[in-house]
Amino acid sequence: MTELKLPSLDYAALAPILIMLGTALLGVLVEAFVPRRSRHLVQLTLALLAVLAALTMVVFNADDRMLTAGRALAVDGPTLFLQGAILVLAAMALLLIGDRSVERGGAFVAQAAVTAESADDRRQAEGRNGLTEVYPLTTFAIGGMLIFVAANDLLTMFIALEVFSLPLYLLCALARRRRLLSQEAAMKYFLLGAYASAFFLFGVALIYGFTAGIPGRTAGVDFATINAAVSESPASPVLLFAGMALLAIGLLFKAAAAPFHVWTPDVYQGAPTPVTGFMAACTKVAAFGALLRVFHVAFADAGWDFTPVLGAVAVLTMLVGAVLAVTQTDIKRLLAYSSIANAGYLLVGVLAPSRDGLSGTMFYLVAYGFSVLAAFAVVTLVRDADGEATHLSHWAGLGRRSPFFAGLFTFILLAFAGIPLTSGFTSKFAIFGPALAEGQTWLVIAGVLTSMVLAFPYLRVVVLMWLSEPGESTPTVTVPGGLTSAALMIGVLATLVLGIAPAPLLDLAAGAAEFVR
Amino acid sequence: MSNFPFLSVLTVAPLVGALVVAFLPRHRPELAKQVAFAWSLLVLVLSVVMWASFNAGGDRFQFRESYSWIPNWGVSFTFAADGIALVMLMLIAVLVPLVILASWHDAESSKRSVPVYFALLLALECTMIGVFAAADVFLFYVFFEVMLVPMYFLIGSYGGHQRQYAAVKFFLYSLVGGLFMLAAVIGLWVVGGKTFDWQALSQVDISTGTERWLFLGFFLAFAIKAPFFPFHTWLPDAGGAAPAGAAALLVGVLDKVGTFGILRYCLPLFPEASKWFAPWALALGVIGIVYAALLAVGQNDLKRLVSYTSIAHFGFIGVGIFAFTTQAGTGAVLYMLNHGLATGLLFLVVGMLISRRGSALISDFGGAGKLVPLLAGVLFFAGLASLALPGTAPFISEFLVLIGTFTVNKPVAVIATLGIILAAAYVLWMVQRTTQGTLNPALTEVDGMRRDLNLREKAVVAPLIALIVLLGFYPKPVTDVINPAVQATMDDIGKSDPAPSVGTVQEAHR
């Protein structure tokens, strides 16, 4: 009888994950035991404290380079950097989620089960306090993301994928206004996400089959085994290619890369705006963290095989995102397509398999996360009687009505357009430079060309805000409360600082840019 | 005194001024104007001191400063000026106070914040100085792109008819060029061993194919900026819609970044590619001279007309640069300065006419000289300077370009000479239709047309007229500074002047 051996756990290294998941469970208990009045405050404080504690542990672990939990999790430079990024961005997102000053009762529905558009629904929209379940859901999602970027085998990765996806599906459905749109978004996201997960799982199975049959090794889906199998396995490479393709579909879906992007505009538009910001920033980090690890660690030696395919996906993603952004009339959809195009740029970084490429991609993820959260923070502020005024025609002349917020938004848009002295420029450079050095000239040229196309929609918004006369329907900008202001200012300042003095973060990323294998 | 960090102080000073002006209370526009004007005078004084401490016979690059910025990418705040940059810095320092003075009432008609207008002008000055003072390719690119933002808002917020369209067109054209340049900048960084320092990069050997692509990336950006035919279509729109002061800076200085960039970056960094592409560039220059001049003849909008004249002039500058002789090169740089003065003056004067009449159409004028003789006289002078009449500064530069080109490429020189004739046509015809002939009765009904130049306007035009005449008769102080820099650039691309270029007198003796 073989004795079951428990893997050794390095609790300190796992602390950030444990803290987030533990807090999520605690949050569920809070829902049960704390009186309704004080739940919001308790939950928000709890979630923020947990993020802070987890971040402290990440900083405390900064020098860890190890595999733990039976080689299922890697706590190394990229993991810690990306975990830190997710936590910082999640803290900003939590500030947006927790804000109840912009809209009475917050951005979330008070009773999700009420039939949309019914009389009950209209009553609940009139200012009853929103659900506080969003906090445990968000903390679960954050915890899942922390595992996702640390996962060192495909099964752990899959579980992490589900742990952070399921809460997100729910969160999408909880918008206070435009309930139907919100529910439709959640449904779409859930169905397509389930497909993507299935693809991913099927890919895992194929890869498992591929790793079987190496003399002297057992089959497995941990990255070291896969890496060894890529160069040694006698099995047909068809298994490898099919497996890689299916895995890539699952991951590229989360990353919102074309042609797996179709959910993005609908979901970004329908979801409550703070959740959209959370997805645009944190999900992106998590998805690309996983992509980087899978393709740089597990399939590192199959670079010749996947680079052309991923390159084509990158070009397609940049093109689709940039071209379709031009035609958008809704600010949230515009930002969604911009997020798709940015996924394309990030893929260029993934395809630069050097230390510089890795650190550049990680830098980009952080820089973009800050900017996009700030952008969605502004979106929550521009409101008329029906809630957020997301149609672009309503933004005409906003610069006259509220020059301060329009100015901030203009700055963010210039950053998206890659104008120097913003993080948008430095991060593009951080990706295109290494990509060119690795010989991906055509990808860089495609990136530059699509940047030109993409500049147009951003510029159109700037023109609308500043150069058009305010119309009857120009909404006012709500003066935000402390939480949203804090998130907005952090995002804008980070965009500025990372544009002017990116060296510290670049150093940090460069120091972290090595995977433990 | 030469240890004083002139270039960084000159770059930062207008930015500080811009911030100060921007935060002045909106209801005190007069204060904002005075502060902005005083600030720009301060910059002018500093520039004059810098000019005085520049040693014309000394090193090619002077006032070099370098501070680390992003060490990970080898980026630093490196400033240095050669003679060419020095001349352009001087031009900026002279033009900005005059433009501020000339635009004293321009912003008021737009219903928008007056302090912001002057803050934008100062911010523009900061980026313009930075772009000429940078000696780090990354830093240059940063200023090159950021320069668009204040100009975009100047045109878009304070411009005239079709300002939105013009502003967006201007921004997109420049951004497209800039992004091509970005690709080339990254490429140069990769082949150059991950450094952006100009001096280090000018020593790098690049394979022929790569060099040509990189040259194209830079050249495209500069050709759009300058603009050269066929990338010029944004300029008449932008120049036509911009407020006169901003237009004077746009055409007088901003566009020079293109030709300056070719001289500073394309030629020394990619010498082989420059020679390979030279025939094409010369062709673009010559086509620009003739084509833009013909279009200028047909314009009925004063500001668009001036924009087209300046496209023709940029053709001359392009020809001068790509002729690869010291004479033509010096002529081209001198042209950049003189064109800034002459076209700047022309734009400002045209702006004064337009603000009086309330229309930019030539057909709305006619015989205006009878009502505003002094203004008409200044317009006539600016026109003559613009067509390079002997005795005005542009004549010397145009002449230098032509003889410098003639020694190496006769057909180009001959066709370019046609441009002079066409210049006479569009300038004189424009002057005739606006200020000469019978008085358009509609003019007498416009209040503004009864006021001739006031003291402020005289103060705007007088320095420019004085400089144009002075440099027309005695360009030596400027050519002394330009010559060594152009000579060094020609050495970079390994071109020496053909033997008899200055030896015609000796030949006659033989």
Side-chain angles (χ1 to χ4, degrees):
Chain A
M1 196 178 95
T2 51
E3 201 177 331
L4 191 65
K5 243 178 87 183
L6 289 173
S8 74
L9 295 174
D10 186 320
Y11 286 100
L14 298 179
I17 297 170
L18 297 176
I19 291 172
M20 289 324 292
L21 294 180
T23 311
L25 293 174
L26 205 61
V28 176
L29 292 180
V30 168
E31 284 301 311
F33 294 108
V34 173
R36 189 178 287 275
R37 280 193 323 281
S38 40
R39 266 187 221 160
H40 170 67
L41 190 64
V42 173
Q43 291 279 29
L44 180 62
T45 321
L46 202 60
L48 280 175
L49 281 180
V51 169
L52 219 59
L55 194 60
T56 317
M57 284 312 292
V58 168
V59 175
F60 179 73
N61 291 340
D63 295 325
D64 281 2
R65 301 286 184 269
M66 63 164 95
L67 296 175
T68 185
R71 304 178 67 83
L73 292 175
V75 180
D76 55 6
T79 298
L80 289 164
F81 185 92
L82 293 172
Q83 285 186 337
I86 290 173
L87 288 167
V88 171
L89 297 173
M92 282 173 67
L94 275 170
L95 292 178
L96 292 181
I97 291 173
D99 193 290
R100 284 189 169 177
S101 65
V102 175
E103 168 142 32
R104 265 178 63 204
F108 295 92
V109 67
Q111 239 181 326
V114 169
T115 314
E117 315 289 326
S118 66
D120 278 350
D121 186 37
R122 274 192 290 282
R123 264 199 301 285
Q124 69 83 20
E126 292 308 313
R128 269 170 59 197
N129 281 340
L131 287 172
T132 45
E133 279 91 344
V134 291
Y135 299 103
L137 287 173
T138 313
T139 12
F140 267 124
I142 300 170
M145 290 172 187
L146 295 188
I147 308 175
F148 199 53
V149 294
N152 194 45
D153 71 46
L154 292 175
L155 273 180
T156 313
M157 194 172 262
F158 176 73
I159 291 168
L161 179 71
E162 293 304 298
V163 170
F164 87 76
S165 294
L166 291 171
L168 281 180
Y169 301 144
L170 277 175
L171 284 170
C172 284
L174 298 181
R176 174 181 292 269
R177 299 176 187 253
R178 306 203 184 96
R179 296 281 306 136
L180 273 181
L181 210 59
S182 173
Q183 288 173 358
E184 182 197 326
M187 195 66 189
K188 229 174 217 168
Y189 194 21
F190 171 67
L191 284 178
L192 291 175
Y195 275 120
S197 296
F199 276 116
F200 185 89
L201 200 55
F202 197 39
V204 176
L206 292 184
I207 294 290
Y208 181 77
F210 177 71
T211 58
I214 313 173
R217 269 182 184 269
T218 48
V221 285
D222 63 301
F223 292 165
T225 308
I226 296 172
N227 192 26
V230 168
S231 41
E232 293 172 28
S233 175
S236 154
V238 173
L239 277 180
L240 172 69
F241 296 155
M244 258 197 315
L246 292 172
L247 282 183
I249 290 176
L251 293 174
L252 291 174
F253 172 84
K254 280 290 159 203
F260 318 108
H261 67 283
V262 281
W263 59 275
T264 318
D266 293 336
V267 173
Y268 275 33
Q269 186 187 18
T273 308
V275 173
T276 312
F278 178 58
M279 286 195 296
C282 297
T283 309
K284 221 38 88 299
V285 179
F288 274 95
L291 267 171
L292 282 168
R293 193 175 289 278
V294 167
F295 285 102
H296 284 207
V297 179
F299 299 120
D301 296 332
W304 279 102
D305 301 314
F306 69 73
T307 303
V309 180
L310 276 191
V313 170
V315 172
L316 185 67
T317 308
M318 293 187 275
L319 265 180
V320 166
V323 171
L324 291 184
V326 174
T327 62
Q328 297 310 309
T329 53
D330 184 286
I331 187 73
K332 282 171 90 175
R333 292 182 79 86
L334 195 158
L335 288 173
Y337 279 105
S338 135
S339 149
I340 294 170
N342 276 289
Y345 301 137
L346 280 160
L347 273 176
V348 176
V350 173
L351 292 174
S354 64
R355 229 189 135 119
D356 284 346
L358 178 56
S359 68
T361 313
M362 296 199 298
F363 178 82
Y364 196 112
L365 283 166
V366 176
Y368 176 72
F370 277 119
S371 306
V372 83
L373 269 168
F376 280 111
V378 176
V379 173
T380 62
L381 298 180
V382 181
R383 316 180 71 88
D384 55 18
D386 297 330
E388 288 164 9
T390 55
H391 198 276
L392 275 181
S393 63
H394 293 176
W395 286 54
L398 201 70
R400 300 284 190 81
R401 293 278 173 91
S402 20
F404 179 68
F405 290 103
L408 292 185
F409 198 65
T410 305
F411 177 71
I412 299 287
L413 288 174
L414 290 178
F416 284 148
I419 300 291
L421 302 186
T422 64
S423 66
F425 173 66
T426 45
S427 52
K428 280 216 175 70
F429 188 90
I431 279 194
F432 290 161
L436 206 59
E438 292 297 315
Q440 307 285 6
T441 313
W442 288 108
L443 286 183
V444 173
I445 290 176
V448 167
L449 288 176
T450 50
S451 299
M452 295 174 194
V453 180
L454 203 51
F456 182 71
Y458 299 142
L459 206 59
R460 205 161 49 110
V461 180
V462 175
V463 169
L464 264 177
M465 289 195 301
W466 293 101
L467 309 186
S468 298
E469 301 299 318
E472 283 294 308
S473 60
T474 300
T476 49
V477 171
T478 311
V479 176
L483 297 178
T484 301
S485 306
L488 177 59
M489 290 323 290
I490 293 172
V492 170
L493 279 180
T495 306
L496 181 68
V497 169
L498 293 181
I500 292 177
L505 189 64
L506 282 171
D507 281 334
L508 195 65
E514 193 156 25
F515 289 108
V516 165
R517 282 160 211 279
Chain B
M1 198 60 192
S2 63
N3 289 330
F4 184 79
F6 279 111
L7 294 171
S8 53
V9 171
L10 270 180
T11 310
V12 174
L15 183 66
V16 176
L19 290 176
V20 170
V21 173
F23 286 104
L24 287 176
R26 196 181 162 146
H27 58 271
R28 305 220 14 216
E30 288 305 315
L31 181 67
K33 293 171 189 175
Q34 285 152 8
V35 172
F37 183 60
W39 212 286
S40 62
L41 281 183
L42 197 75
V43 174
L44 175 62
V45 170
L46 199 61
S47 312
V48 171
V49 177
M50 180 176 76
W51 177 282
S53 50
F54 187 85
N55 177 6
D59 293 341
R60 177 179 184 184
F61 289 98
Q62 298 183 24
F63 312 120
R64 189 182 166 87
E65 304 168 50
S66 191
Y67 316 100
S68 179
W69 181 12
I70 311 174
N72 317 56
W73 299 335
V75 178
S76 56
F77 289 105
T78 306
F79 296 101
D82 59 359
I84 305 172
L86 186 75
V87 169
M88 296 314 298
L89 292 175
M90 227 28 235
L91 175 65
I92 298 168
V94 169
L95 273 184
V96 171
L98 297 178
V99 162
I100 290 179
L101 205 54
S103 332
W104 211 252
H105 299 297
D106 278 9
E108 280 151 21
S109 54
S110 69
K111 295 182 293 182
R112 287 172 192 250
S113 165
V114 174
V116 169
Y117 179 82
F118 290 95
L120 284 171
L121 279 179
L122 284 176
L124 184 65
E125 183 177 21
C126 157
T127 57
M128 291 189 304
I129 291 178
V131 87
F132 288 111
D136 179 285
V137 182
F138 190 92
L139 190 62
F140 172 80
Y141 178 79
V142 166
F143 281 118
F144 187 84
E145 289 283 272
V146 172
M147 205 163 57
L148 302 180
V149 179
M151 192 40 117
Y152 168 77
F153 282 106
L154 279 174
I155 299 175
S157 298
Y158 299 92
H161 182 57
Q162 278 213 319
R163 59 201 161 85
Q164 290 191 19
Y165 169 78
V168 172
K169 193 169 177 182
F170 159 75
F171 198 94
L172 282 181
Y173 263 72
S174 303
L175 193 69
V176 165
L179 284 168
F180 277 115
M181 186 161 105
L182 175 63
V185 164
I186 298 175
L188 183 64
W189 177 71
V190 170
V191 296
K194 313 210 165 171
T195 175
F196 281 110
D197 186 67
W198 186 91
Q199 260 155 344
L201 286 172
S202 61
Q203 309 296 328
V204 173
D205 276 327
I206 310 169
S207 70
T208 315
T210 316
E211 192 183 320
R212 285 182 190 162
W213 282 112
L214 294 181
F215 174 90
L216 267 187
F218 277 89
F219 182 76
L220 203 57
F222 296 143
I224 291 176
K225 196 83 180 179
F228 289 149
F229 174 88
F231 310 109
H232 64 278
T233 53
W234 63 270
L235 184 63
D237 288 319
L249 286 180
L250 175 72
V251 176
V253 181
L254 223 65
D255 294 350
K256 305 295 190 316
V257 176
T259 47
F260 171 81
I262 292 175
L263 276 169
R264 171 65 77 75
Y265 295 94
C266 285
L267 265 48
L269 297 182
F270 318 113
E272 296 306 317
S274 302
K275 280 186 257 183
W276 198 75
F277 281 106
W280 301 97
L282 281 175
L284 291 188
V286 169
I287 295 174
I289 293 174
V290 177
Y291 176 72
L294 285 174
L295 286 180
V297 174
Q299 290 305 310
N300 189 30
D301 180 308
L302 280 168
K303 284 203 266 186
R304 289 179 74 90
L305 187 144
V306 181
S307 302
Y308 275 114
T309 69
S310 94
I311 296 170
H313 292 157
F314 276 105
F316 269 110
I317 300 176
V319 167
I321 291 173
F322 282 96
F324 296 142
T325 60
T326 315
Q327 272 172 338
T330 306
V333 177
L334 200 57
Y335 212 134
M336 285 158 63
L337 171 69
N338 294 336
H339 173 262
L341 297 174
T343 308
L345 177 64
L346 193 55
F347 248 123
L348 293 176
V349 176
V350 159
M352 292 169 190
L353 262 181
I354 294 171
S355 67
R356 282 175 165 71
R357 176 66 179 91
S359 160
L361 299 182
I362 294 178
S363 49
D364 284 347
F365 290 90
K370 297 196 173 57
L371 294 170
V372 282
L374 202 51
L375 182 55
V378 177
L379 179 73
F380 189 51
F381 177 83
L384 291 181
S386 184
L387 67 78
L389 190 78
T392 59
F395 168 71
I396 296 178
S397 40
E398 203 158 292
F399 189 66
L400 275 174
V401 168
L402 287 175
I403 58 171
T405 312
F406 191 78
T407 53
V408 290
N409 196 334
K410 292 192 177 60
V412 168
V414 170
I415 302 175
T417 313
L418 274 180
I420 303 183
I421 301 166
L422 287 168
Y426 59 67
V427 166
L428 294 178
W429 203 35
M430 180 268 285
V431 170
Q432 189 197 358
R433 282 187 295 163
T434 46
T435 61
Q436 311 294 314
T438 48
L439 182 63
N440 180 349
L443 281 184
T444 50
E445 289 156 25
V446 182
D447 275 347
M449 291 306 291
R450 281 187 220 113
R451 282 179 284 107
D452 208 344
L453 291 183
N454 61 24
L455 188 62
R456 174 176 64 79
E457 289 165 330
K458 283 176 193 157
V460 171
V461 295
L464 287 173
I465 294 176
L467 275 172
I468 290 172
V469 173
L470 185 69
L471 292 176
F473 283 100
Y474 189 61
K476 191 168 179 303
V478 180
T479 47
D480 279 353
V481 171
I482 295 173
N483 243 323
V486 172
Q487 188 64 55
T489 309
M490 293 302 141
D491 289 345
D492 281 336
I493 56 167
K495 280 273 183 181
S496 55
D497 294 338
S501 62
V502 282
T504 38
V505 183
Q506 291 161 9
E507 261 173 68
H509 278 291
R510 261 183 237 147

